[in-house]
């Protein structure tokens, strides 16, 4: 897992976490609407870095969860600490 993410990726990550905490698996389209812009690149990067799990649901890319290591990393990011 690549722990370094950009500010834009972090913003999208926290948006994803909000959806997942509410019990919803967001599509990339839903995330883009919520972020007021296309987030496909950020989602793809977070996936390639090992932060999120993405599957096609009804032919739409959907974030279904965080990787196990990302859960701890997000907890640290929420409290202003980064582990490298």
């Amino acid at each position: 897992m690549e722990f370094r993410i950009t500010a834009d990726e972090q913003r999208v990550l926290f948006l994803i976490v909000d959806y997942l905490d509410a019990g919803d698996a967001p599509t990339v389209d839903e995330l883009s609407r919520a972020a007021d812009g296309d987030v496909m690149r950020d989602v793809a990067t977070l996936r390639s870095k090992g932060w999120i799990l993405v599957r096609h649901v009804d032919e739409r890319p959907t974030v279904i969860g965080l990787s196990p290591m990302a859960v701890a990393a997000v907890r640290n990011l929420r409290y202003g600490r980064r582990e490298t």
Side-chain angles (χ1 to χ4, degrees):
M1 183 171 148
E2 169 64 47
F3 282 95
R4 287 180 253 170
I5 61 175
T6 67
D8 287 338
E9 292 165 355
Q10 183 174 327
R11 181 178 59 89
V12 172
L13 179 65
F14 283 130
L15 185 59
I16 291 167
V17 169
D18 288 343
Y19 272 91
L20 295 174
D21 283 348
D24 189 21
T27 65
V28 172
D29 291 338
E30 290 171 327
L31 293 168
S32 292
R33 280 192 298 276
D36 292 326
D38 187 13
V39 299
M40 181 59 134
R41 179 177 295 205
D42 294 320
V43 169
T45 303
L46 288 168
R47 180 183 187 191
S48 71
K49 289 181 177 181
W51 284 82
I52 60 174
L53 307 170
V54 178
R55 298 286 183 265
H56 279 78
V57 177
D58 296 329
E59 299 184 27
R60 299 184 315 174
T62 303
V63 180
I64 60 167
L66 300 180
S67 69
M69 290 184 70
V71 173
V74 166
R75 188 176 307 122
N76 289 333
L77 285 170
R78 280 187 167 166
Y79 293 104
R81 296 186 309 265
R82 288 185 188 220
E83 292 184 17
T84 56

